[in-house]
Amino acid sequence: MSAEGPTSSAELPPRRRPKVIKTNQQQVLLYVVLTLLLSLATVWAGRAWLHNSETLTFAVGAPNSDEALFATKLATLLKNNASRFRIKIVNSADNAKALAQFDRKQADLAVLRTDAKVPLRARTLAILEHDLVLLLGPGNKKIKSLVELKKKKVAILAENDSSLAFVRSILDIPADSPDAAKIQMAPPGATLDKLFAPANGFSAVIAVVHASRAVRDKAYEQVAKRGGFTLNAIDDAKALARKFPGISDETLTAGTLSASPEIPDDDLDTIGLEWLLVAQSKMSATTAGDIARIVYENKSALGLDNGFATHIEPASVEKDAYVMAHQGAADYINDDTKSFMDKYSDMMYLGAAALSVIGSIFAAIYAKITRIAPEKAGELSTAVLDVGERIEHAHSLDQLECLQDELESILRGAVVGLRDGTISTDGLDTFKLGYEFVRDEIEMRRDYLKRHCGEADQVASPAALPLPDDSNVVVVKTAQSA
Protein backbone atom coordinates (compact mmCIF):
# COMPACT_ATOMS: atom_id res chain seq x y z
CA MET A 1 0.00 0.00 0.00
CA SER A 2 1.37 3.44 -0.90
CA ALA A 3 2.79 5.48 1.91
CA GLU A 4 1.48 8.68 0.31
CA GLY A 5 -2.12 7.49 -0.04
CA PRO A 6 -4.71 7.69 2.75
CA THR A 7 -4.38 4.87 5.25
CA SER A 8 -7.67 5.26 7.29
CA SER A 9 -11.24 6.38 6.97
CA ALA A 10 -10.41 9.49 8.93
CA GLU A 11 -8.32 10.71 6.03
CA LEU A 12 -11.24 10.64 3.63
CA PRO A 13 -12.79 13.96 2.58
CA PRO A 14 -15.23 15.15 5.28
CA ARG A 15 -18.82 14.05 5.01
CA ARG A 16 -21.39 16.65 3.99
CA ARG A 17 -24.11 16.96 6.58
CA PRO A 18 -27.66 16.90 5.18
CA LYS A 19 -29.69 20.05 5.82
CA VAL A 20 -32.07 19.68 8.78
CA ILE A 21 -35.12 21.95 9.05
CA LYS A 22 -35.36 23.14 12.65
CA THR A 23 -38.21 24.68 14.58
CA ASN A 24 -38.24 28.44 14.73
CA GLN A 25 -38.50 28.99 18.48
CA GLN A 26 -39.34 32.68 18.15
CA GLN A 27 -42.26 31.89 15.86
CA VAL A 28 -43.52 29.28 18.31
CA LEU A 29 -43.35 31.74 21.18
CA LEU A 30 -45.05 34.42 19.10
CA TYR A 31 -47.82 32.05 18.14
CA VAL A 32 -48.41 30.99 21.75
CA VAL A 33 -48.65 34.64 22.81
CA LEU A 34 -51.04 35.43 19.97
CA THR A 35 -53.16 32.41 20.85
CA LEU A 36 -53.45 33.56 24.46
CA LEU A 37 -54.30 37.09 23.37
CA LEU A 38 -56.94 35.77 20.97
CA SER A 39 -58.46 33.64 23.71
CA LEU A 40 -58.57 36.59 26.11
CA ALA A 41 -60.07 38.82 23.43
CA THR A 42 -62.73 36.20 22.66
CA VAL A 43 -63.69 35.88 26.32
CA TRP A 44 -63.73 39.65 26.78
CA ALA A 45 -65.84 40.14 23.65
CA GLY A 46 -68.29 37.50 24.82
CA ARG A 47 -68.67 39.13 28.22
CA ALA A 48 -69.00 42.56 26.63
CA TRP A 49 -71.63 41.22 24.25
CA LEU A 50 -73.67 39.70 27.06
CA HIS A 51 -73.17 42.48 29.60
CA ASN A 52 -72.58 45.53 27.46
CA SER A 53 -73.90 48.74 28.95
CA GLU A 54 -76.76 50.45 27.14
CA THR A 55 -77.62 54.05 27.93
CA LEU A 56 -81.27 55.10 27.56
CA THR A 57 -82.31 58.75 27.49
CA PHE A 58 -85.37 59.49 29.63
CA ALA A 59 -87.19 62.76 28.77
CA VAL A 60 -89.14 64.22 31.69
CA GLY A 61 -90.58 67.52 32.85
CA ALA A 62 -89.38 69.69 35.74
CA PRO A 63 -87.00 68.03 38.23
CA ASN A 64 -89.67 68.01 40.97
CA SER A 65 -92.39 66.53 38.75
CA ASP A 66 -93.69 63.03 39.39
CA GLU A 67 -92.31 61.64 36.15
CA ALA A 68 -88.86 63.12 36.86
CA LEU A 69 -88.81 61.63 40.36
CA PHE A 70 -89.87 58.27 38.93
CA ALA A 71 -87.10 58.42 36.33
CA THR A 72 -84.57 59.15 39.08
CA LYS A 73 -85.74 56.14 41.07
CA LEU A 74 -85.53 53.92 38.02
CA ALA A 75 -82.01 55.13 37.25
CA THR A 76 -80.93 54.48 40.84
CA LEU A 77 -82.48 51.03 40.82
CA LEU A 78 -80.66 50.03 37.64
CA LYS A 79 -77.36 51.34 38.97
CA ASN A 80 -77.67 49.59 42.33
CA ASN A 81 -78.59 46.28 40.69
CA ALA A 82 -75.59 46.42 38.34
CA SER A 83 -77.91 46.33 35.35
CA ARG A 84 -76.53 46.70 31.86
CA PHE A 85 -78.86 49.67 31.39
CA ARG A 86 -78.03 53.24 32.32
CA ILE A 87 -80.60 56.05 32.44
CA LYS A 88 -79.73 59.55 31.29
CA ILE A 89 -82.40 61.95 32.54
CA VAL A 90 -83.14 65.04 30.45
CA ASN A 91 -85.39 67.63 32.07
CA SER A 92 -87.67 70.07 30.27
CA ALA A 93 -89.89 72.91 31.44
CA ASP A 94 -92.93 70.64 31.47
CA ASN A 95 -94.09 67.22 30.35
CA ALA A 96 -95.41 68.53 27.03
CA LYS A 97 -91.92 69.70 26.03
CA ALA A 98 -90.48 66.38 27.17
CA LEU A 99 -92.91 64.54 24.89
CA ALA A 100 -91.96 66.85 22.02
CA GLN A 101 -88.35 65.88 22.58
CA PHE A 102 -89.36 62.22 22.59
CA ASP A 103 -91.29 62.78 19.35
CA ARG A 104 -88.12 64.16 17.75
CA LYS A 105 -86.34 60.87 18.63
CA GLN A 106 -84.10 62.66 21.12
CA ALA A 107 -85.15 60.33 23.92
CA ASP A 108 -85.78 56.61 24.34
CA LEU A 109 -88.24 56.79 27.24
CA ALA A 110 -90.91 59.19 28.42
CA VAL A 111 -94.01 59.34 30.61
CA LEU A 112 -97.26 60.60 29.16
CA ARG A 113 -100.81 61.08 30.38
CA THR A 114 -103.38 59.85 27.91
CA ASP A 115 -104.95 63.29 27.42
CA ALA A 116 -101.66 64.52 25.90
CA LYS A 117 -100.72 64.40 22.23
CA VAL A 118 -99.29 60.93 21.77
CA PRO A 119 -96.14 60.68 19.61
CA LEU A 120 -96.61 58.35 16.66
CA ARG A 121 -93.68 56.17 17.64
CA ALA A 122 -94.65 55.81 21.31
CA ARG A 123 -95.23 52.26 22.58
CA THR A 124 -96.34 51.41 26.11
CA LEU A 125 -94.10 49.53 28.52
CA ALA A 126 -96.22 49.87 31.67
CA ILE A 127 -99.15 51.74 33.22
CA LEU A 128 -97.68 53.75 36.07
CA GLU A 129 -100.70 55.53 37.50
CA HIS A 130 -104.40 56.37 37.09
CA ASP A 131 -105.80 59.88 37.45
CA LEU A 132 -109.36 60.17 38.71
CA VAL A 133 -111.78 62.96 37.79
CA LEU A 134 -113.78 63.89 40.89
CA LEU A 135 -116.88 66.02 40.39
CA LEU A 136 -117.41 67.86 43.69
CA GLY A 137 -120.32 70.09 44.59
CA PRO A 138 -120.55 72.49 47.58
CA GLY A 139 -122.41 71.19 50.64
CA ASN A 140 -125.20 68.80 49.70
CA LYS A 141 -125.59 70.11 46.16
CA LYS A 142 -126.00 67.37 43.56
CA ILE A 143 -124.69 67.81 40.03
CA LYS A 144 -126.60 65.54 37.68
CA SER A 145 -124.39 65.95 34.60
CA LEU A 146 -121.44 67.85 33.23
CA VAL A 147 -123.78 69.80 30.96
CA GLU A 148 -125.01 71.71 34.03
CA LEU A 149 -121.54 73.20 34.47
CA LYS A 150 -121.56 75.10 31.19
CA LYS A 151 -121.69 78.87 31.74
CA LYS A 152 -120.89 78.32 35.46
CA LYS A 153 -117.77 79.09 37.38
CA VAL A 154 -115.74 75.91 37.95
CA ALA A 155 -112.41 75.48 39.78
CA ILE A 156 -109.93 72.89 38.54
CA LEU A 157 -107.94 71.33 41.36
CA ALA A 158 -104.90 69.73 39.75
CA GLU A 159 -101.13 69.79 39.68
CA ASN A 160 -100.61 71.33 36.26
CA ASP A 161 -102.34 73.40 33.63
CA SER A 162 -102.79 70.45 31.28
CA SER A 163 -105.80 69.42 33.36
CA LEU A 164 -107.44 72.78 32.57
CA ALA A 165 -107.43 72.04 28.84
CA PHE A 166 -108.66 68.51 29.56
CA VAL A 167 -111.67 69.69 31.55
CA ARG A 168 -112.59 72.29 28.93
CA SER A 169 -112.50 69.56 26.29
CA ILE A 170 -114.83 67.20 28.17
CA LEU A 171 -117.16 70.11 28.89
CA ASP A 172 -117.05 70.90 25.17
CA ILE A 173 -116.03 74.50 25.80
CA PRO A 174 -113.65 75.96 23.19
CA ALA A 175 -110.58 77.65 24.63
CA ASP A 176 -111.37 80.93 22.81
CA SER A 177 -115.03 81.11 23.90
CA PRO A 178 -116.25 83.52 26.65
CA ASP A 179 -117.28 80.54 28.79
CA ALA A 180 -113.70 79.19 28.82
CA ALA A 181 -112.67 81.94 31.24
CA LYS A 182 -115.13 80.59 33.81
CA ILE A 183 -113.17 77.35 33.97
CA GLN A 184 -110.22 78.33 36.13
CA MET A 185 -107.27 76.65 37.76
CA ALA A 186 -107.50 76.70 41.55
CA PRO A 187 -104.85 78.88 43.19
CA PRO A 188 -101.80 77.01 44.53
CA GLY A 189 -102.45 75.64 48.03
CA ALA A 190 -106.21 76.15 47.77
CA THR A 191 -108.41 73.81 49.81
CA LEU A 192 -111.98 72.65 49.20
CA ASP A 193 -113.21 74.79 52.08
CA LYS A 194 -111.77 77.93 50.53
CA LEU A 195 -112.90 77.08 47.01
CA PHE A 196 -116.51 76.48 48.15
CA ALA A 197 -116.57 79.64 50.24
CA PRO A 198 -119.39 82.02 49.04
CA ALA A 199 -116.81 84.71 48.35
CA ASN A 200 -115.24 82.69 45.54
CA GLY A 201 -118.51 81.78 43.89
CA PHE A 202 -117.48 78.43 42.42
CA SER A 203 -120.44 76.24 41.49
CA ALA A 204 -118.30 73.11 41.39
CA VAL A 205 -114.77 71.82 41.77
CA ILE A 206 -113.35 69.25 39.40
CA ALA A 207 -110.35 67.57 40.95
CA VAL A 208 -107.96 65.63 38.73
CA VAL A 209 -105.86 63.58 41.16
CA HIS A 210 -103.74 60.47 41.21
CA ALA A 211 -105.82 57.52 42.38
CA SER A 212 -103.02 56.37 44.69
CA ARG A 213 -102.89 59.83 46.28
CA ALA A 214 -106.65 60.23 46.61
CA VAL A 215 -107.01 57.18 48.84
CA ARG A 216 -104.25 58.53 51.12
CA ASP A 217 -105.44 62.14 51.30
CA LYS A 218 -107.18 62.66 54.65
CA ALA A 219 -108.25 66.15 53.62
CA TYR A 220 -111.37 64.77 51.90
CA GLU A 221 -112.42 63.02 55.10
CA GLN A 222 -111.85 66.12 57.20
CA VAL A 223 -113.84 68.37 54.84
CA ALA A 224 -116.60 65.74 54.56
CA LYS A 225 -117.04 65.68 58.33
CA ARG A 226 -117.80 69.37 58.17
CA GLY A 227 -120.31 68.76 55.41
CA GLY A 228 -118.21 70.70 52.99
CA PHE A 229 -118.80 68.83 49.70
CA THR A 230 -120.73 66.20 47.77
CA LEU A 231 -119.06 63.69 45.44
CA ASN A 232 -121.12 63.29 42.27
CA ALA A 233 -121.14 60.53 39.68
CA ILE A 234 -120.41 61.25 36.03
CA ASP A 235 -123.25 59.33 34.48
CA ASP A 236 -122.06 59.81 30.93
CA ALA A 237 -118.60 58.32 31.73
CA LYS A 238 -118.88 55.55 29.15
CA ALA A 239 -120.00 57.99 26.47
CA LEU A 240 -117.06 60.27 27.24
CA ALA A 241 -114.67 57.28 27.09
CA ARG A 242 -115.96 56.47 23.62
CA LYS A 243 -115.76 60.08 22.52
CA PHE A 244 -112.25 60.69 23.85
CA PRO A 245 -110.02 57.64 23.27
CA GLY A 246 -107.55 58.69 25.98
CA ILE A 247 -110.25 58.69 28.67
CA SER A 248 -111.11 55.55 30.61
CA ASP A 249 -114.30 54.92 32.57
CA GLU A 250 -113.49 54.28 36.22
CA THR A 251 -115.43 53.03 39.22
CA LEU A 252 -114.87 54.43 42.68
CA THR A 253 -115.67 51.82 45.29
CA ALA A 254 -117.51 52.78 48.46
CA GLY A 255 -115.30 54.52 51.02
CA THR A 256 -112.51 55.39 48.56
CA LEU A 257 -112.15 59.02 49.70
CA SER A 258 -113.42 58.73 53.25
CA ALA A 259 -114.23 55.82 55.50
CA SER A 260 -116.16 57.87 58.01
CA PRO A 261 -118.32 59.32 56.68
CA GLU A 262 -118.21 56.83 53.82
CA ILE A 263 -117.51 58.63 50.52
CA PRO A 264 -118.80 57.52 48.20
CA ASP A 265 -121.45 55.58 50.07
CA ASP A 266 -121.81 53.25 47.08
CA ASP A 267 -119.84 52.39 43.95
CA LEU A 268 -119.72 55.45 41.74
CA ASP A 269 -118.95 55.92 38.03
CA THR A 270 -116.47 58.52 36.89
CA ILE A 271 -113.78 58.98 34.29
CA GLY A 272 -110.01 58.86 34.47
CA LEU A 273 -106.71 59.09 32.66
CA GLU A 274 -103.65 56.86 32.60
CA TRP A 275 -99.98 57.67 33.02
CA LEU A 276 -97.95 55.48 30.68
CA LEU A 277 -94.26 54.69 30.55
CA VAL A 278 -93.56 54.70 26.82
CA ALA A 279 -90.59 53.78 24.64
CA GLN A 280 -89.67 54.36 21.04
CA SER A 281 -91.19 51.77 18.70
CA LYS A 282 -87.72 51.18 17.21
CA MET A 283 -86.34 50.06 20.57
CA SER A 284 -85.34 46.41 20.36
CA ALA A 285 -87.80 43.88 21.77
CA THR A 286 -85.09 42.56 24.07
CA THR A 287 -84.38 45.96 25.59
CA ALA A 288 -88.06 46.87 25.92
CA GLY A 289 -88.86 43.49 27.47
CA ASP A 290 -86.00 43.80 29.96
CA ILE A 291 -87.05 47.32 31.01
CA ALA A 292 -90.67 46.20 31.40
CA ARG A 293 -89.59 43.21 33.46
CA ILE A 294 -87.45 45.38 35.74
CA VAL A 295 -90.34 47.82 36.27
CA TYR A 296 -92.88 45.06 37.01
CA GLU A 297 -90.57 43.18 39.35
CA ASN A 298 -89.60 46.28 41.35
CA LYS A 299 -92.94 48.00 41.88
CA SER A 300 -92.40 48.62 45.57
CA ALA A 301 -88.99 50.20 44.98
CA LEU A 302 -90.22 52.53 42.22
CA GLY A 303 -93.28 54.02 43.92
CA LEU A 304 -92.98 57.62 45.10
CA ASP A 305 -93.71 58.73 48.64
CA ASN A 306 -96.71 60.75 47.43
CA GLY A 307 -98.28 57.59 46.00
CA PHE A 308 -97.39 57.99 42.33
CA ALA A 309 -96.49 54.67 40.62
CA THR A 310 -97.29 52.59 43.69
CA HIS A 311 -99.71 50.40 41.71
CA ILE A 312 -97.86 49.76 38.47
CA GLU A 313 -99.82 47.63 36.00
CA PRO A 314 -98.83 45.77 32.83
CA ALA A 315 -99.43 47.57 29.56
CA SER A 316 -102.59 46.71 27.67
CA VAL A 317 -101.75 44.22 24.94
CA GLU A 318 -105.10 44.63 23.19
CA LYS A 319 -104.96 45.81 19.60
CA ASP A 320 -107.43 48.59 20.32
CA ALA A 321 -105.38 50.03 23.20
CA TYR A 322 -105.05 53.79 23.09
CA VAL A 323 -101.25 53.45 23.00
CA MET A 324 -100.18 50.04 21.78
CA ALA A 325 -97.87 47.98 23.94
CA HIS A 326 -94.31 47.60 22.77
CA GLN A 327 -93.71 44.15 21.30
CA GLY A 328 -91.01 43.43 23.86
CA ALA A 329 -93.32 44.29 26.75
CA ALA A 330 -96.17 42.33 25.15
CA ASP A 331 -93.94 39.27 24.80
CA TYR A 332 -93.03 39.47 28.47
CA ILE A 333 -96.64 40.01 29.57
CA ASN A 334 -97.84 37.11 27.41
CA ASP A 335 -94.92 34.98 28.58
CA ASP A 336 -93.72 34.72 25.01
CA THR A 337 -90.19 35.90 25.72
CA LYS A 338 -87.62 33.73 24.05
CA SER A 339 -85.04 31.88 26.03
CA PHE A 340 -81.35 32.59 25.62
CA MET A 341 -81.02 29.68 23.20
CA ASP A 342 -84.08 30.77 21.22
CA LYS A 343 -82.72 34.29 20.81
CA TYR A 344 -79.11 33.50 20.16
CA SER A 345 -79.07 29.96 18.75
CA ASP A 346 -78.62 31.16 15.17
CA MET A 347 -75.83 33.50 16.20
CA MET A 348 -74.23 30.71 18.25
CA TYR A 349 -74.29 28.34 15.27
CA LEU A 350 -72.78 30.99 13.03
CA GLY A 351 -70.22 31.82 15.69
CA ALA A 352 -69.33 28.17 16.13
CA ALA A 353 -68.88 27.79 12.37
CA ALA A 354 -66.74 30.93 12.24
CA LEU A 355 -64.64 29.78 15.19
CA SER A 356 -64.22 26.39 13.54
CA VAL A 357 -62.85 28.00 10.39
CA ILE A 358 -60.62 30.36 12.38
CA GLY A 359 -59.46 27.47 14.56
CA SER A 360 -58.59 25.39 11.51
CA ILE A 361 -56.59 28.26 10.05
CA PHE A 362 -54.69 28.79 13.28
CA ALA A 363 -54.14 25.05 13.68
CA ALA A 364 -52.67 24.93 10.18
CA ILE A 365 -50.44 27.92 10.94
CA TYR A 366 -49.38 26.35 14.23
CA ALA A 367 -48.55 23.05 12.57
CA LYS A 368 -46.68 24.89 9.84
CA ILE A 369 -44.44 26.90 12.10
CA THR A 370 -43.98 24.54 15.07
CA ARG A 371 -43.40 21.11 13.61
CA ILE A 372 -40.18 19.92 11.97
CA ALA A 373 -40.97 19.82 8.29
CA PRO A 374 -40.51 16.32 6.82
CA GLU A 375 -37.37 15.97 4.76
CA LYS A 376 -37.94 14.97 1.19
CA ALA A 377 -36.52 11.60 0.20
CA GLY A 378 -35.03 13.27 -2.85
CA GLU A 379 -32.95 15.51 -0.60
CA LEU A 380 -31.20 12.43 0.82
CA SER A 381 -29.85 11.79 -2.65
CA THR A 382 -27.32 14.53 -1.94
CA ALA A 383 -25.90 12.53 0.98
CA VAL A 384 -25.84 9.38 -1.16
CA LEU A 385 -24.00 11.12 -4.01
CA ASP A 386 -21.59 12.57 -1.47
CA VAL A 387 -20.67 9.01 -0.52
CA GLY A 388 -20.29 8.19 -4.21
CA GLU A 389 -17.89 11.09 -4.72
CA ARG A 390 -15.61 9.74 -2.00
CA ILE A 391 -15.42 6.22 -3.40
CA GLU A 392 -12.49 7.08 -5.67
CA HIS A 393 -10.59 8.28 -2.60
CA ALA A 394 -10.93 4.91 -0.88
CA HIS A 395 -7.60 3.08 -1.37
CA SER A 396 -8.25 0.27 1.06
CA LEU A 397 -11.01 -2.16 1.85
CA ASP A 398 -11.35 -0.65 5.32
CA GLN A 399 -12.05 2.76 3.89
CA LEU A 400 -14.50 1.23 1.47
CA GLU A 401 -16.28 -0.54 4.33
CA CYS A 402 -16.66 2.79 6.11
CA LEU A 403 -18.33 4.21 3.03
CA GLN A 404 -20.51 1.10 2.80
CA ASP A 405 -21.58 1.55 6.43
CA GLU A 406 -22.31 5.23 5.81
CA LEU A 407 -24.46 4.36 2.78
CA GLU A 408 -26.37 1.73 4.76
CA SER A 409 -26.87 4.25 7.59
CA ILE A 410 -28.44 6.69 5.14
CA LEU A 411 -30.72 3.93 3.84
CA ARG A 412 -31.68 2.90 7.37
CA GLY A 413 -32.49 6.51 8.30
CA ALA A 414 -34.60 6.89 5.18
CA VAL A 415 -36.63 3.76 6.02
CA VAL A 416 -37.19 4.88 9.63
CA GLY A 417 -38.10 8.40 8.48
CA LEU A 418 -40.61 7.11 5.97
CA ARG A 419 -42.19 5.06 8.73
CA ASP A 420 -42.29 7.94 11.26
CA GLY A 421 -43.33 10.60 8.77
CA THR A 422 -40.20 12.70 9.21
CA ILE A 423 -39.26 11.93 5.62
CA SER A 424 -41.72 12.30 2.78
CA THR A 425 -41.91 10.12 -0.33
CA ASP A 426 -41.21 13.12 -2.52
CA GLY A 427 -38.19 12.20 -4.68
CA LEU A 428 -38.11 8.59 -3.46
CA ASP A 429 -37.39 7.25 -6.94
CA THR A 430 -34.42 9.58 -7.25
CA PHE A 431 -33.11 8.38 -3.89
CA LYS A 432 -33.48 4.73 -4.90
CA LEU A 433 -31.67 5.34 -8.20
CA GLY A 434 -28.84 7.16 -6.45
CA TYR A 435 -28.55 4.50 -3.74
CA GLU A 436 -28.37 1.68 -6.28
CA PHE A 437 -25.82 3.58 -8.35
CA VAL A 438 -23.51 4.26 -5.38
CA ARG A 439 -23.95 0.74 -4.06
CA ASP A 440 -22.84 -0.68 -7.42
CA GLU A 441 -19.90 1.76 -7.50
CA ILE A 442 -18.76 0.48 -4.09
CA GLU A 443 -18.93 -3.11 -5.31
CA MET A 444 -16.94 -2.24 -8.39
CA ARG A 445 -14.34 -0.42 -6.27
CA ARG A 446 -14.14 -3.37 -3.90
CA ASP A 447 -13.48 -5.76 -6.80
CA TYR A 448 -10.83 -3.38 -8.16
CA LEU A 449 -9.04 -3.17 -4.82
CA LYS A 450 -9.09 -6.94 -4.41
CA ARG A 451 -7.58 -7.49 -7.90
CA HIS A 452 -4.86 -4.90 -7.47
CA CYS A 453 -4.07 -5.53 -3.85
CA GLY A 454 -0.96 -7.65 -4.74
CA GLU A 455 0.33 -5.16 -7.25
CA ALA A 456 -0.05 -2.35 -4.73
CA ASP A 457 2.04 -4.33 -2.22
CA GLN A 458 4.78 -4.89 -4.77
CA VAL A 459 4.84 -1.19 -5.61
CA ALA A 460 5.15 -0.41 -1.92
CA SER A 461 8.33 -2.77 -1.72
CA PRO A 462 10.51 -2.15 -4.87
CA ALA A 463 13.49 -4.18 -3.60
CA ALA A 464 11.51 -7.41 -3.78
CA LEU A 465 10.35 -6.83 -7.35
CA PRO A 466 12.14 -6.95 -10.72
CA LEU A 467 12.71 -3.66 -12.41
CA PRO A 468 9.47 -2.77 -14.24
CA ASP A 469 9.40 -1.54 -17.80
CA ASP A 470 8.39 1.98 -18.75
CA SER A 471 4.72 1.21 -19.07
CA ASN A 472 4.55 -0.19 -15.55
CA VAL A 473 6.27 2.86 -14.18
CA VAL A 474 3.66 5.00 -15.80
CA VAL A 475 0.89 2.94 -14.22
CA VAL A 476 2.36 3.18 -10.77
CA LYS A 477 2.74 6.96 -11.03
CA THR A 478 -0.82 7.22 -12.26
CA ALA A 479 -2.06 5.15 -9.35
CA GLN A 480 -0.15 7.29 -6.89
CA SER A 481 -1.40 10.48 -8.42
CA ALA A 482 -4.88 9.08 -8.31
Side-chain angles (χ1 to χ4, degrees), residues 41-328:
T42 302
V43 173
W44 178 83
R47 289 176 60 86
W49 177 60
L50 293 174
H51 303 286
N52 60 324
S53 177
E54 184 175 354
T55 300
L56 302 175
T57 303
F58 202 144
V60 295
N64 61 343
S65 62
D66 289 339
E67 65 271 17
L69 296 176
F70 171 82
T72 302
K73 278 210 165 188
L74 179 59
T76 303
L77 174 70
L78 295 175
K79 182 178 180 180
N80 293 341
N81 291 345
S83 171
R84 70 184 182 92
F85 298 109
R86 295 290 182 269
I87 298 295
K88 177 184 177 182
I89 300 175
V90 179
N91 293 101
S92 298
D94 52 43
N95 190 249
K97 289 183 172 59
L99 289 177
Q101 187 177 19
F102 178 90
D103 196 23
R104 292 192 299 269
K105 298 183 182 181
Q106 296 176 349
D108 304 295
L109 300 170
V111 175
L112 65 83
R113 198 171 70 171
T114 49
D115 62 324
K117 181 182 178 181
V118 180
L120 293 176
R121 288 172 290 274
R123 297 293 182 268
T124 306
L125 297 181
I127 301 174
L128 300 182
E129 185 61 84
H130 289 263
D131 273 3
L132 298 175
V133 178
L134 305 178
L135 180 56
L136 308 173
N140 296 324
K141 183 179 180 181
K142 288 283 188 180
I143 302 175
K144 296 180 180 180
S145 68
L146 293 175
V147 179
E148 295 183 16
L149 299 180
K150 287 187 175 183
K151 301 185 181 300
K152 292 185 178 180
K153 189 177 180 182
V154 178
I156 308 302
L157 191 61
E159 293 184 353
N160 51 65
D161 294 341
S162 62
S163 295
L164 177 60
F166 167 70
V167 172
R168 286 173 177 173
S169 65
I170 62 175
L171 293 179
D172 198 19
I173 299 176
D176 56 352
S177 68
D179 295 332
K182 297 180 180 180
I183 312 299
Q184 305 172 6
M185 285 293 298
T191 63
L192 288 177
D193 287 337
K194 293 181 180 179
L195 293 175
F196 285 135
N200 289 321
F202 289 110
S203 301
V205 172
I206 297 179
V208 182
V209 297
H210 298 326
S212 56
R213 188 176 303 173
V215 298
R216 299 183 179 191
D217 195 348
K218 296 300 182 181
Y220 294 102
E221 183 174 341
Q222 295 171 0
V223 175
K225 288 180 179 180
R226 298 191 293 268
F229 73 93
T230 298
L231 178 62
N232 299 274
I234 300 179
D235 295 332
D236 48 355
K238 294 186 181 299
L240 289 172
R242 287 192 297 270
K243 182 178 180 181
F244 301 96
I247 295 177
S248 59
D249 57 296
E250 305 281 347
T251 299
L252 289 176
T253 58
T256 298
L257 299 184
S258 174
S260 178
E262 193 175 40
I263 299 176
D265 55 5
D266 198 1
D267 290 353
L268 180 143
D269 292 333
T270 187
I271 58 175
L273 299 167
E274 293 178 341
W275 288 85
L276 307 178
L277 174 62
V278 296
Q280 294 283 354
S281 58
K282 295 298 183 180
M283 178 182 289
S284 70
T286 301
T287 299
D290 288 344
I291 293 296
R293 174 184 55 80
I294 292 171
V295 170
Y296 299 153
E297 293 178 356
N298 296 275
K299 297 178 182 179
S300 58
L302 293 174
L304 304 186
D305 294 338
N306 61 13
F308 183 81
T310 52
H311 292 83
I312 297 174
E313 301 173 15
S316 174
V317 296
E318 300 297 331
K319 293 183 178 180
D320 60 349
Y322 182 57
V323 181
M324 292 184 61
H326 195 288
Q327 186 60 49

Side-chain angles (χ1 to χ4, degrees), residues 338 340-353:
K338 295 181 179 180
F340 179 84
M341 288 299 296
D342 292 335
K343 289 189 290 186
Y344 301 113
S345 59
D346 293 341
M347 297 181 64
M348 291 175 65
Y349 291 140
L350 291 175

Side-chain angles (χ1 to χ4, degrees), residues 33-48:
V33 172
L34 290 176
T35 302
L36 292 175
L37 291 176
L38 178 63
S39 301
L40 293 174
T42 302
V43 173
W44 178 83
R47 289 176 60 86

